[in-house]
Amino acid sequence: RTWFAPFSGGLYWLRDQHLERVTLAGLNNDVIYSIHGAGNEIWVGRSHGGLTALTWNGASLQARTFSHKDGLAQDSVYSVLRARDGTVWAGTVSAGVSVVRRGRVDSIAGGNGGFSTVNCILQGADGTVWFATPTGLDAFAGGRWMTFTAADGLPSSNVRVLYQDTAQVLWIATSQGLAYSEDGSIRVPRSLPDKLREPVLGITEDQHGQLWITTSDHVLEMDREKLLRGSLTDSDVRSFGSQDGLPATQGVERDRSVITDPYGNVWIGLAQGMAMTRPQLTEAEAQPMSARLEALSAGNLQLPVEGQPKIPAGHSSITFHFGAATLAAVDRARFRYRLEGADRAWSEIVAHREITYSNLAPGSYRFRIIASNAAGLWNGPEASLAFSITPSFWQTWWFRSLCAFVAILLVVLLYRIRMYRLIQGMNTRFQERLAERTRIAQDLHDTLLQGVISASMQLDVAEDQIPESSPAKPRVRRVLELMGQVTEEGRRAVSGLRSSEQEIYHLEQAFSRLPEELAIPGSIEFRVITESTARALRSPIRDEVYRIGREALVNAFQHAEPRSVEVEVEYARSFLRLAVRDDGCGIDPKILDSGRAGHWGLIGMRERSERIGGRLRLRSSVGAGTEVELTIPGIIAFQEPSPGPAFRAFHWNRRTSGRKDEPATGSEP
């Protein structure tokens, strides 16, 4: 579709000889100042109605309007631009610029001191947004504003029209003539024809590189290259009039009053209508243009452009020199290139003949180049070159693998050193604690326990001297029984404080003797299981594991009322695991988390497991039994490295009080 707005008002589109007027959002009753868009989205700047976005949804057209109520600086929008990133810039008649991003409208001040009126907005190839205003030329790039005035080389600070051609030359039309900017500086073409000294109202470039310009009284076509070189004369400027089919020669002062569409048609807005022309192609201009790769260099090293050249290591900056393979209109040739392996898509259209890639990684690449002819047609064959960059030794896979291997070794070594220091510190603490427990056990045995035994013996003698008929006789006997129980519990406490390496060298054997030590009823089925080869444990770890397991068994026998209790010891390659299970009444979740008031069994087991670097898990629920599982890393628990995959089975069963405990062989019943 071709969109246009008559000077008298309204908005129209034309397609395949079909003309239709847009009546949405009151557009048919408003004067349209500016039209811009991309894809199926059209943005319209209006005289009174603000900024309207038109979007095709299938075959229907939808409209959304932004006004002063939505944050727009002013409802009179003279110039509108939809940038490549989707941002919409709206320049108003007298209130500056507004920006629409993701449906949100913001107003900005503009350049130095701000500006109020915007005649034209243009986005350059590098992303810079240019603003033509009555006070100068303003540019917005990288979050910064720049302003150019007559003091910077403009013929006049009153800038009316902006246009950037395919060679990225910015043309600037002012109220007193034409200027251009090619490398950041502003210049005025030398020897300007008189026809270009009047106000310029519109500029575009056709597919042959010719400039089309409208003024207040002329429609002109001229050679762009000659205009840039300052060699343009009156004879090089072609002027069109009514004899050429134009309804008038007076241009209109509007944003984008002259454009070139993607098919090469030049559309011209005039005071009394609209005209369209398609510049004719010469035979030379229609001829396909072939691209040619002329040279390849890496630094000071020149490389062949045939075969598959290999670039030595150390060269990461590669320069390609290319051109056109024909001589016809070669100065109008444009190029697009792509480096497969580095670029995701084709480049923008360029006129230069050289490109440099920096910081290329080692690997294989293919450079492709294609050219367009003077008519802007990409109908010629492309040229390509495959090449590779040799990696330096530190970029090879074996070097990186070696570095990774060394890094892993360092991590393992640091881990080993850390674990060694940790184990040594734990051993020291355990030995200190063991010495302290031994001292306490000796003190208990030599003082409290001996005192209780002596008192019990004296009381026993006194009991023998009391007649059987005395009422004190039963009370004394009861006291003797209580003192016997206290003596037995004291002995067990002393035994628990002392450590005997001989007694608990193998955990499974030590656990198997606990029922007799604790005088457990024979109605409880008890068994000790191990499915792996027993390994020597570090004595402090062994003692702590035994005490945690003993505490778990005492809790099971005394509080759970179980029918069966099972102890499992697993000597794995990388860990030691102890599990104590029963099928008793279970533990209340609150007690499982915080322990029972005045009881320290669960808390003590957790503290012991943390001190030896283990992980203790307690699983239980009321009526479903309890499982206590302790896991300790092998590097902490075992004295020697992990053995080979040898296994043995050790099942210790105890079912009745009158049955002798024996180790069982074979599979678990």
Side-chain angles (χ1 to χ4, degrees):
R1 294 176 178 84
T2 299
W3 296 79
F4 61 95
F7 214 73
S8 58
L11 177 66
Y12 297 79
W13 59 262
L14 176 67
R15 181 179 182 182
D16 298 331
Q17 306 298 321
H18 175 70
L19 179 67
E20 185 166 327
R21 186 174 188 178
V22 179
T23 59
L24 292 174
L27 291 168
N28 56 323
N29 297 319
D30 205 349
V31 174
I32 307 304
Y33 283 155
S34 181
I35 309 171
H36 198 241
N40 65 341
E41 189 179 72
I42 300 296
W43 289 81
V44 179
R46 305 168 59 173
S47 174
H48 302 290
L51 179 66
T52 299
L54 299 173
T55 307
W56 286 102
N57 185 9
S60 64
L61 188 64
Q62 298 178 346
R64 180 184 179 185
T65 298
F66 299 88
S67 65
H68 188 66
K69 296 179 181 179
D70 303 307
L72 202 66
Q74 189 182 57
D75 284 343
S76 185
V77 178
Y78 190 82
S79 178
V80 61
L81 167 76
R82 184 190 185 277
R84 289 186 288 273
D85 63 356
T87 302
V88 178
W89 299 79
T92 65
V93 171
S94 59
V97 178
S98 295
V99 181
V100 181
R101 293 188 181 94
R102 303 181 187 90
R104 177 180 175 182
V105 182
D106 296 308
S107 295
I108 58 178
N112 298 335
F115 46 75
S116 58
T117 302
V118 180
N119 294 326
C120 179
I121 307 177
L122 171 75
Q123 184 180 30
D126 60 354
T128 302
V129 181
W130 298 88
F131 300 83
T133 75
T135 58
L137 175 64
D138 291 75
F140 182 79
R144 298 176 59 249
W145 285 92
M146 297 177 291
T147 300
F148 303 88
T149 64
D152 301 301
L154 289 174
S156 170
S157 295
N158 185 2
V159 182
R160 295 174 175 270
V161 177
L162 299 173
Y163 179 76
Q164 189 174 52
D165 62 24
T166 54
Q168 300 181 16
V169 176
L170 178 65
W171 295 93
I172 309 162
T174 72
S175 60
Q176 297 182 18
L178 193 65
Y180 68 94
S181 175
E182 192 171 19
D183 53 1
S185 60
I186 297 175
R187 299 186 181 91
V188 176
R190 301 190 307 272
S191 304
L192 267 179
D194 292 337
K195 296 175 183 178
L196 292 179
R197 296 190 182 276
E198 58 187 81
V200 174
L201 304 181
I203 309 175
T204 191
E205 180 187 17
D206 66 18
Q207 58 185 349
H208 310 306
Q210 298 288 97
L211 287 183
W212 289 74
I213 296 177
T214 60
T215 69
S216 58
D217 199 35
H218 293 91
V219 176
L220 308 171
E221 180 193 19
M222 64 198 67
D223 190 302
R224 185 185 66 90
E225 294 295 333
K226 288 186 177 181
L227 182 60
L228 285 173
R229 293 196 301 266
S231 59
L232 190 71
T233 63
D234 288 336
S235 60
D236 297 317
V237 178
R238 183 178 178 183
S239 181
F240 297 89
S242 58
Q243 68 277 10
D244 300 299
L246 290 177
T249 58
Q250 295 82 18
V252 291
E253 192 171 352
R254 282 285 192 271
D255 187 16
R256 299 181 197 88
S257 60
V258 183
I259 65 167
T260 302
D261 68 17
Y263 304 101
N265 302 313
V266 178
W267 295 81
I268 305 170
L270 299 168
Q272 299 181 21
M274 182 172 62
M276 184 271 286
T277 180
R278 179 175 177 81
Q280 297 297 317
L281 299 179
T282 65
E283 183 178 352
E285 291 170 336
Q287 194 175 31
M289 184 76 73
S290 299
R292 179 179 63 187
L293 189 60
E294 297 175 345
L296 172 65
S297 60
N300 296 325
L301 181 64
Q302 297 295 323
L303 298 165
V305 291
E306 62 273 349
Q308 295 186 359
K310 291 187 177 181
I311 300 174
H315 293 83
S316 60
S317 182
I318 312 299
T319 300
F320 299 91
H321 302 268
F322 48 84
T326 60
L327 297 178
V330 67
D331 57 326
R332 298 183 185 177
R334 299 294 181 264
F335 301 92
R336 297 176 68 189
Y337 55 85
R338 180 183 181 186
L339 182 60
E340 294 182 351
D343 294 334
R344 294 184 177 180
W346 287 89
S347 70
E348 298 289 339
I349 299 173
V350 298
H352 53 258
R353 312 300 175 92
E354 177 182 302
I355 182 65
T356 299
Y357 285 88
S358 300
N359 300 321
L360 291 177
S364 298
Y365 299 89
R366 177 180 292 274
F367 182 74
R368 300 167 60 190
I369 182 75
I370 188 171
S372 70
N373 59 16
L377 301 177
W378 302 86
N379 55 359
E382 71 175 46
S384 65
L385 175 67
F387 66 97
S388 61
I389 301 177
T390 304
S392 301
F393 77 94
W394 48 270
Q395 294 175 313
T396 57
W397 67 268
W398 59 265
F399 180 82
R400 294 177 178 175
S401 300
L402 179 62
C403 290
F405 179 71
V406 172
I408 293 173
L409 285 181
L410 288 175
V411 171
V412 172
L413 178 61
L414 292 175
Y415 175 75
R416 291 281 185 177
I417 294 174
R418 170 65 179 165
M419 295 307 299
Y420 174 78
R421 292 180 177 177
L422 179 63
I423 292 170
Q424 292 301 316
M426 292 175 60
N427 285 336
T428 301
R429 292 196 299 271
F430 288 150
Q431 293 300 330
E432 293 173 352
R433 291 177 53 236
L434 179 60
E436 181 66 14
R437 289 203 305 267
T438 302
R439 185 188 64 79
I440 295 173
Q442 291 173 348
D443 291 344
L444 287 175
H445 181 272
D446 296 340
T447 56
L448 180 62
L449 191 57
Q450 292 297 334
V452 173
I453 292 174
S454 297
S456 177
M457 294 175 63
Q458 294 294 329
L459 191 60
D460 188 55
V461 172
E463 190 266 342
D464 290 339
Q465 296 176 358
I466 297 174
E468 293 291 335
S469 60
S470 174
K473 186 81 169 181
R475 296 181 179 177
V476 174
R477 286 178 178 173
R478 178 58 181 164
V479 172
L480 282 173
E481 291 175 359
L482 291 175
M483 294 184 71
Q485 294 177 6
V486 170
T487 302
E488 184 62 28
E489 291 179 357
R491 285 173 176 167
R492 284 201 293 265
V494 170
S495 176
L497 286 171
R498 301 184 68 91
S499 175
S500 173
E501 187 170 329
Q502 180 64 28
E503 289 181 359
I504 59 172
Y505 182 78
H506 292 299
L507 289 174
E508 57 272 21
Q509 296 177 357
F511 287 133
S512 67
R513 292 196 293 269
L514 278 177
E516 287 72 29
E517 178 184 338
L518 301 176
I520 302 305
S523 59
I524 299 176
E525 179 183 350
F526 176 72
R527 60 180 178 176
V528 181
I529 303 172
T530 180
E531 296 286 351
S532 53
T533 302
R535 299 171 61 183
L537 304 175
R538 302 180 191 276
S539 57
I541 303 297
R542 178 199 62 218
D543 293 345
E544 294 295 336
V545 173
Y546 173 73
R547 296 182 196 286
I548 293 173
R550 188 178 187 278
E551 180 66 29
L553 288 172
V554 169
N555 290 339
F557 289 136
Q558 292 184 356
H559 305 296
E561 302 178 0
R563 294 187 301 274
S564 65
V565 178
E566 178 181 279
V567 178
E568 181 181 357
V569 182
E570 180 182 359
Y571 300 91
R573 294 178 62 86
S574 58
F575 62 87
L576 170 69
R577 187 174 69 90
L578 170 68
V580 179
R581 308 181 187 93
D582 68 69
D583 60 354
C585 60
I587 305 175
D588 186 89
K590 296 182 179 178
I591 298 176
L592 192 66
D593 293 335
S594 57
R596 190 191 305 270
H599 295 262
W600 310 99
L602 295 178
I603 296 175
M605 286 193 294
R606 289 192 176 99
E607 292 176 347
R608 290 180 185 274
S609 66
E610 291 176 0
R611 283 197 297 266
I612 61 177
R615 183 177 62 180
L616 185 71
R617 291 183 177 178
L618 289 88
R619 305 182 185 91
S620 180
S621 60
V622 177
T626 303
E627 180 181 24
V628 179
E629 182 183 68
L630 173 66
T631 305
I632 305 173
I635 193 170
I636 297 177
F638 303 130
Q639 291 184 0
E640 77 286 348
S642 175
F647 299 91
R648 72 183 183 96
F650 179 89
H651 294 179
W652 195 284
N653 298 288
R654 181 186 187 277
R655 295 183 181 273
T656 63
S657 59
R659 180 177 176 183
K660 199 178 227 180
D661 296 335
E662 296 178 345
T665 60
S667 61
E668 177 182 348

